[in-house]
Amino acid sequence: MIGTLDVLAIDCPDPRALAPFYAELLGMRVVSDDPDWVELASEERPRPLLAFQRVDQEYRPPQWPGQEVPQQLHIDVKVDDLDAAEQQVLDLGATKTGYDKETFRVYLDPAGHPFCLIKPND
């Protein structure tokens, strides 16, 4: 195991409008509320979170099952050591995007889906 699921983030045009739907659907509650990022957690466990992230460009919803507009989401994986975890995911076939911050780094899985490795306190 390289890490644990920490956050599942879903792109959307209005996080504050979409989060209540999933809170009700999944029996979760809002634990962080910002116009650009809203997080939900279950009553029993603080993690993993379900998050809603505002997109900067014109939002186009996914077309399922077609692929003209694929699904917009990514997974945040909490790790103890970003450098060690990076090498492990690269060895598994991930690609670096070059988007590295102090507390997280973004990669593409072998099929091109983005995911992040994050420090425990991020």
CSV table of all heavy atoms in Angstrom, one decimal, residues 15 18 21-22 25 29 32 37 39 43 54 58 69 71-72 79 84 91 93 95-98 101 104 107 109:
chain,number,residue,atom,x,y,z
A,15,PRO,N,-19.9,24.7,-6.0
A,15,PRO,CA,-19.8,23.7,-4.9
A,15,PRO,C,-20.9,23.9,-3.9
A,15,PRO,O,-21.4,22.8,-3.4
A,15,PRO,CB,-18.4,24.0,-4.4
A,15,PRO,CG,-17.7,24.7,-5.5
A,15,PRO,CD,-18.7,25.5,-6.2
A,18,LEU,N,-24.1,22.1,-5.2
A,18,LEU,CA,-24.0,20.7,-5.4
A,18,LEU,C,-23.8,19.9,-4.1
A,18,LEU,O,-24.4,18.8,-3.9
A,18,LEU,CB,-22.9,20.3,-6.4
A,18,LEU,CG,-22.8,18.9,-6.8
A,18,LEU,CD1,-24.1,18.4,-7.4
A,18,LEU,CD2,-21.7,18.7,-7.8
A,21,PHE,N,-26.9,18.3,-2.1
A,21,PHE,CA,-27.4,17.1,-2.8
A,21,PHE,C,-26.7,15.8,-2.3
A,21,PHE,O,-27.4,14.9,-1.9
A,21,PHE,CB,-27.3,17.2,-4.3
A,21,PHE,CG,-27.6,16.0,-5.0
A,21,PHE,CD1,-29.0,15.6,-5.3
A,21,PHE,CD2,-26.6,15.1,-5.5
A,21,PHE,CE1,-29.3,14.4,-6.0
A,21,PHE,CE2,-26.9,13.9,-6.1
A,21,PHE,CZ,-28.2,13.6,-6.4
A,22,TYR,N,-25.4,15.9,-2.3
A,22,TYR,CA,-24.6,14.7,-1.9
A,22,TYR,C,-24.7,14.5,-0.4
A,22,TYR,O,-24.7,13.4,0.1
A,22,TYR,CB,-23.2,14.8,-2.4
A,22,TYR,CG,-23.1,14.4,-3.9
A,22,TYR,CD1,-23.1,15.3,-4.9
A,22,TYR,CD2,-23.0,13.0,-4.2
A,22,TYR,CE1,-23.1,14.9,-6.2
A,22,TYR,CE2,-22.9,12.6,-5.5
A,22,TYR,CZ,-22.9,13.6,-6.5
A,22,TYR,OH,-22.9,13.2,-7.8
A,25,LEU,N,-28.0,12.7,0.0
A,25,LEU,CA,-27.9,11.4,-0.7
A,25,LEU,C,-27.1,10.4,0.2
A,25,LEU,O,-27.5,9.3,0.3
A,25,LEU,CB,-27.3,11.6,-2.1
A,25,LEU,CG,-27.1,10.3,-2.8
A,25,LEU,CD1,-28.4,9.7,-3.2
A,25,LEU,CD2,-26.2,10.6,-4.1
A,29,ARG,N,-22.3,15.5,6.2
A,29,ARG,CA,-22.5,16.8,6.6
A,29,ARG,C,-21.3,17.7,6.1
A,29,ARG,O,-20.2,17.2,5.9
A,29,ARG,CB,-22.5,16.9,8.2
A,29,ARG,CG,-21.3,16.5,8.9
A,29,ARG,CD,-21.4,16.5,10.4
A,29,ARG,NE,-20.3,15.8,11.0
A,29,ARG,CZ,-19.1,16.4,11.2
A,29,ARG,NH1,-18.9,17.6,10.9
A,29,ARG,NH2,-18.1,15.7,11.8
A,32,SER,N,-16.4,21.9,5.7
A,32,SER,CA,-15.7,23.0,5.2
A,32,SER,C,-16.5,23.6,4.1
A,32,SER,O,-16.9,23.0,3.2
A,32,SER,CB,-14.3,22.6,4.7
A,32,SER,OG,-13.6,23.7,4.1
A,37,TRP,N,-14.7,25.6,-2.8
A,37,TRP,CA,-14.3,24.3,-2.3
A,37,TRP,C,-15.2,24.0,-1.1
A,37,TRP,O,-15.1,24.7,-0.1
A,37,TRP,CB,-12.9,24.2,-1.9
A,37,TRP,CG,-12.4,22.9,-1.4
A,37,TRP,CD1,-12.3,22.5,-0.1
A,37,TRP,CD2,-11.8,21.8,-2.2
A,37,TRP,NE1,-11.7,21.2,-0.1
A,37,TRP,CE2,-11.4,20.8,-1.3
A,37,TRP,CE3,-11.6,21.7,-3.6
A,37,TRP,CZ2,-10.9,19.6,-1.8
A,37,TRP,CZ3,-11.0,20.5,-4.0
A,37,TRP,CH2,-10.7,19.5,-3.1
A,39,GLU,N,-16.4,20.7,1.5
A,39,GLU,CA,-16.1,19.3,1.9
A,39,GLU,C,-17.2,18.7,2.7
A,39,GLU,O,-17.8,19.4,3.6
A,39,GLU,CB,-14.8,19.3,2.7
A,39,GLU,CG,-13.6,19.7,2.0
A,39,GLU,CD,-12.3,19.8,2.8
A,39,GLU,OE1,-12.4,19.9,4.1
A,39,GLU,OE2,-11.2,19.8,2.2
A,43,GLU,N,-20.7,11.3,9.7
A,43,GLU,CA,-20.7,11.5,11.2
A,43,GLU,C,-19.7,10.6,11.9
A,43,GLU,O,-19.1,11.0,12.9
A,43,GLU,CB,-22.1,11.3,11.7
A,43,GLU,CG,-23.1,12.3,11.2
A,43,GLU,CD,-22.9,13.7,11.8
A,43,GLU,OE1,-22.3,13.8,12.9
A,43,GLU,OE2,-23.3,14.7,11.1
A,54,ARG,N,-14.9,24.2,-7.5
A,54,ARG,CA,-15.4,25.1,-8.6
A,54,ARG,C,-14.4,25.1,-9.7
A,54,ARG,O,-13.2,25.2,-9.5
A,54,ARG,CB,-15.5,26.5,-8.1
A,54,ARG,CG,-16.0,27.5,-9.2
A,54,ARG,CD,-16.1,28.9,-8.7
A,54,ARG,NE,-16.9,29.1,-7.5
A,54,ARG,CZ,-18.2,29.2,-7.4
A,54,ARG,NH1,-18.9,29.1,-8.5
A,54,ARG,NH2,-18.8,29.3,-6.3
A,58,GLU,N,-15.6,27.5,-18.4
A,58,GLU,CA,-17.0,27.2,-18.6
A,58,GLU,C,-17.2,25.7,-18.3
A,58,GLU,O,-16.6,24.9,-18.9
A,58,GLU,CB,-17.5,27.5,-20.0
A,58,GLU,CG,-18.9,27.3,-20.3
A,58,GLU,CD,-19.3,27.7,-21.7
A,58,GLU,OE1,-18.8,28.6,-22.2
A,58,GLU,OE2,-20.2,27.0,-22.2
A,69,VAL,N,-17.5,14.4,-23.3
A,69,VAL,CA,-17.1,15.2,-22.1
A,69,VAL,C,-16.9,14.2,-21.0
A,69,VAL,O,-17.9,13.7,-20.4
A,69,VAL,CB,-18.1,16.2,-21.7
A,69,VAL,CG1,-17.6,17.0,-20.5
A,69,VAL,CG2,-18.4,17.2,-22.9
A,71,GLN,N,-16.0,12.3,-17.3
A,71,GLN,CA,-16.3,12.7,-15.9
A,71,GLN,C,-15.2,13.5,-15.3
A,71,GLN,O,-14.0,13.3,-15.6
A,71,GLN,CB,-16.4,11.4,-15.1
A,71,GLN,CG,-17.6,10.6,-15.6
A,71,GLN,CD,-17.8,9.3,-14.8
A,71,GLN,OE1,-17.7,9.3,-13.6
A,71,GLN,NE2,-17.9,8.2,-15.5
A,72,GLN,N,-15.5,14.5,-14.5
A,72,GLN,CA,-14.6,15.4,-13.9
A,72,GLN,C,-14.4,15.1,-12.4
A,72,GLN,O,-15.3,15.5,-11.6
A,72,GLN,CB,-15.0,16.9,-14.1
A,72,GLN,CG,-15.0,17.3,-15.5
A,72,GLN,CD,-16.3,17.4,-16.1
A,72,GLN,OE1,-17.3,17.3,-15.4
A,72,GLN,NE2,-16.4,17.5,-17.4
A,79,VAL,N,-0.3,10.6,2.0
A,79,VAL,CA,1.0,9.8,2.1
A,79,VAL,C,1.8,10.5,3.2
A,79,VAL,O,1.7,11.7,3.5
A,79,VAL,CB,1.8,9.8,0.8
A,79,VAL,CG1,0.9,9.1,-0.3
A,79,VAL,CG2,2.2,11.1,0.3
A,84,ALA,N,9.0,9.7,-1.5
A,84,ALA,CA,8.9,8.2,-1.6
A,84,ALA,C,7.7,7.8,-2.3
A,84,ALA,O,7.7,6.9,-3.2
A,84,ALA,CB,8.9,7.6,-0.2
A,91,ASP,N,6.7,4.4,-10.6
A,91,ASP,CA,7.1,3.0,-10.9
A,91,ASP,C,5.8,2.2,-11.3
A,91,ASP,O,6.0,1.3,-12.1
A,91,ASP,CB,7.7,2.3,-9.7
A,91,ASP,CG,9.1,2.9,-9.4
A,91,ASP,OD1,9.7,3.6,-10.2
A,91,ASP,OD2,9.6,2.6,-8.3
A,93,GLY,N,3.5,3.5,-13.1
A,93,GLY,CA,3.0,3.9,-14.4
A,93,GLY,C,2.4,5.3,-14.4
A,93,GLY,O,1.9,5.8,-15.5
A,95,THR,N,2.3,9.5,-14.4
A,95,THR,CA,3.1,10.5,-15.0
A,95,THR,C,3.1,11.8,-14.2
A,95,THR,O,2.0,12.2,-13.8
A,95,THR,CB,2.5,10.8,-16.4
A,95,THR,OG1,2.5,9.6,-17.2
A,95,THR,CG2,3.3,11.9,-17.2
A,96,LYS,N,4.2,12.5,-14.0
A,96,LYS,CA,4.2,13.8,-13.4
A,96,LYS,C,3.6,14.8,-14.3
A,96,LYS,O,3.8,14.8,-15.5
A,96,LYS,CB,5.7,14.2,-13.1
A,96,LYS,CG,6.3,13.5,-11.9
A,96,LYS,CD,7.6,14.1,-11.6
A,96,LYS,CE,7.5,15.5,-11.1
A,96,LYS,NZ,7.8,15.8,-9.7
A,97,THR,N,2.8,15.7,-13.7
A,97,THR,CA,2.2,16.8,-14.4
A,97,THR,C,3.1,18.0,-14.3
A,97,THR,O,3.0,19.0,-15.1
A,97,THR,CB,0.8,17.2,-13.9
A,97,THR,OG1,0.9,17.7,-12.6
A,97,THR,CG2,-0.1,16.0,-14.0
A,98,GLY,N,4.0,18.1,-13.3
A,98,GLY,CA,4.8,19.2,-13.1
A,98,GLY,C,4.1,20.2,-12.2
A,98,GLY,O,4.7,21.3,-11.9
A,101,LYS,N,3.3,21.5,-5.4
A,101,LYS,CA,3.2,22.5,-4.3
A,101,LYS,C,3.9,21.9,-3.1
A,101,LYS,O,4.2,20.7,-3.0
A,101,LYS,CB,1.7,22.9,-4.0
A,101,LYS,CG,1.0,23.5,-5.2
A,101,LYS,CD,1.6,24.8,-5.6
A,101,LYS,CE,0.8,25.5,-6.7
A,101,LYS,NZ,1.4,26.7,-7.1
A,104,PHE,N,1.2,19.3,-1.8
A,104,PHE,CA,0.6,18.3,-2.7
A,104,PHE,C,1.3,18.3,-4.0
A,104,PHE,O,1.9,19.3,-4.4
A,104,PHE,CB,-0.9,18.4,-2.8
A,104,PHE,CG,-1.3,19.7,-3.6
A,104,PHE,CD1,-1.6,19.6,-5.0
A,104,PHE,CD2,-1.5,20.9,-3.0
A,104,PHE,CE1,-2.0,20.7,-5.7
A,104,PHE,CE2,-1.8,22.0,-3.7
A,104,PHE,CZ,-2.1,21.9,-5.0
A,107,TYR,N,-0.5,14.2,-10.4
A,107,TYR,CA,0.0,13.2,-11.4
A,107,TYR,C,-1.1,12.7,-12.3
A,107,TYR,O,-2.3,13.0,-12.0
A,107,TYR,CB,0.5,11.9,-10.6
A,107,TYR,CG,1.6,12.3,-9.6
A,107,TYR,CD1,1.3,12.7,-8.3
A,107,TYR,CD2,2.9,12.2,-10.0
A,107,TYR,CE1,2.2,13.0,-7.4
A,107,TYR,CE2,3.9,12.6,-9.1
A,107,TYR,CZ,3.6,13.0,-7.8
A,107,TYR,OH,4.5,13.3,-6.9
A,109,ASP,N,-2.8,9.2,-13.9
A,109,ASP,CA,-2.7,7.7,-13.8
A,109,ASP,C,-2.4,7.2,-15.3
A,109,ASP,O,-2.4,8.0,-16.2
A,109,ASP,CB,-4.0,7.1,-13.2
A,109,ASP,CG,-5.2,7.2,-14.1
A,109,ASP,OD1,-5.1,7.5,-15.3
A,109,ASP,OD2,-6.4,7.0,-13.6
